[in-house]
Amino acid sequence: MDVLVVLIPVSLLLGGLGLAAFFWTLRSSQYSDPEGDSRRILTGEHDDRPAR
């Protein structure tokens, strides 16, 4: 039972960090154009420039 005193707050903290990271990705517009991304993958329209 003593281990639950540590595990419950740690799990709540990690869950909160995950939720905060999700909201950060929403605010930084990382999900702005999912339709366009999926169409580019299927049609092969991509640039052939090497990644930096």
Side-chain angles (χ1 to χ4, degrees), residues 3-25:
V3 74
L4 289 178
V5 173
V6 174
L7 288 179
I8 291 174
V10 168
S11 65
L12 290 174
L13 178 70
L14 289 175
L17 286 175
L19 189 62
F22 173 70
F23 284 126
W24 176 74
T25 60

Side-chain angles (χ1 to χ4, degrees), residues 23-45:
F23 284 126
W24 176 74
T25 60
L26 283 178
R27 286 186 179 211
S28 65
S29 300
Q30 293 193 20
Y31 307 112
S32 62
D33 187 21
E35 293 288 325
D37 291 338
S38 63
R39 288 193 182 120
R40 275 192 298 273
I41 290 171
L42 293 175
T43 60
E45 296 175 14

